[in-house]
Amino acid sequence: EKRPQLSRLRRLNKIISVSEPSEKNYIIAFAEIERIVAQLGLPKTIAEEAAILYRKAAKKRLIKGRSIESMAAACIYAACRMHKIPRGLDEISGSARADRREIGRSYRLLAKEVISKVPPSKATDYVPRLVNTLNLTAEVEQLAIKIIREAYSLRLTSGRMPKGLAAAAVYLAAILMNQKRTQREIASNANVTEVTVRNRFKELMEKLQFIVIV
């Protein structure tokens, strides 16, 4: 009687010793996800989706050789893309406890092994939030989206970062609607460089043939 009981206890002890570290990792990961989501002002659905993705990644042993923090941040980035909430890697890494490169590597692995299809970010996805943070009107938003769609139709977007194009379109639309903001303001709120805004703006001006006094 004692021997089978002892055997069961040994098996139970083995199960507990294996499961405890993983449960501890989940607790750390979910706390990190909640912290980043709160800091970025993201909806709860993103935290929930990111937690599901993290569990899937852990079950496939994708965390091995990577930090919990980088995979947690990568899951948030993926969840944002899946729900079409525009947040760039730079923005997420700014709130994460892992660097951008490490998060990027974790995301690529996650996209390959866990997520079947993640819709690519579009420049138009970034416009509403950017317009809102700059206190611009709905007219600026509508015009910026029209500018971006025209740029897509003329194939001006190939190889261009979506949020850089969005920033330039908002900058141009704001000027045209007499609600001008500086390139520095636009760049800071879009989380891109002033050089990016300036270069994309010049391309839009040349190809779309706008005449604007800056």
Side-chain angles (χ1 to χ4, degrees):
E1 179 66 32
K2 283 187 178 181
R3 184 166 286 181
Q5 190 176 8
L6 184 61
S7 180
R8 282 197 299 273
L9 285 171
R10 281 175 178 166
R11 284 201 303 272
L12 181 61
N13 184 56
K14 190 176 181 181
I15 291 167
I16 290 170
S17 65
V18 170
S19 64
E20 276 183 348
S22 63
E23 287 303 318
K24 193 179 289 184
N25 289 348
Y26 283 142
I27 291 167
I28 294 168
F30 297 160
E32 178 69 355
I33 286 168
E34 286 185 7
R35 185 188 67 79
I36 296 171
V37 164
Q39 193 166 324
L40 292 174
L42 294 167
K44 286 184 179 179
T45 50
I46 296 301
E48 291 165 3
E49 187 74 58
I52 290 168
L53 290 173
Y54 188 91
R55 277 196 179 273
K56 287 180 179 179
K59 284 178 181 177
K60 290 199 170 193
R61 301 182 182 277
L62 303 184
I63 318 298
K64 190 176 180 181
R66 288 169 179 78
S67 71
I68 294 170
E69 291 79 8
S70 72
M71 186 57 77
C75 289
I76 292 170
Y77 178 62
C80 285
R81 293 191 66 172
M82 290 166 72
H83 288 264
K84 295 189 175 181
I85 295 175
R87 290 293 188 278
L89 266 179
D90 289 331
E91 195 171 355
I92 288 172
S93 64
S95 296
R97 294 186 176 122
D99 64 38
R100 187 188 188 283
R101 188 176 296 178
E102 191 182 358
I103 295 168
R105 282 197 295 263
S106 294
Y107 170 73
R108 285 191 291 274
L109 184 64
L110 189 70
K112 182 182 176 183
E113 301 291 339
V114 175
I115 310 163
S116 54
K117 282 186 179 180
V118 179
S121 298
K122 293 181 180 178
T124 50
D125 295 337
Y126 292 89
V127 171
R129 179 170 170 266
L130 184 54
V131 165
N132 185 53
T133 56
L134 290 164
N135 293 315
L136 295 166
T137 63
E139 287 76 19
V140 171
E141 180 179 333
Q142 290 163 11
L143 182 55
I145 289 171
K146 284 181 182 178
I147 290 168
I148 290 168
R149 285 175 179 163
E150 187 64 23
Y152 274 112
S153 70
L154 294 173
R155 301 180 184 276
L156 304 181
T157 58
S158 179
R160 301 290 183 261
M161 189 170 57
K163 61 181 178 179
L165 178 60
V170 169
Y171 178 62
L172 175 54
I175 293 171
L176 293 171
M177 299 302 293
N178 294 315
Q179 298 176 46
K180 185 181 174 183
R181 298 292 187 272
T182 65
Q183 289 183 0
R184 180 173 292 181
E185 283 180 283
I186 300 278
S188 175
N189 282 280
N191 204 23
V192 297
T193 66
E194 287 182 62
V195 173
T196 296
V197 176
R198 187 159 51 250
N199 289 344
R200 297 297 84 79
F201 172 69
K202 284 179 181 176
E203 288 171 359
L204 290 174
M205 293 278 285
E206 289 171 7
K207 303 297 182 181
L208 301 182
Q209 298 181 342
F210 280 105
I211 300 173
V212 177
I213 299 172
V214 181

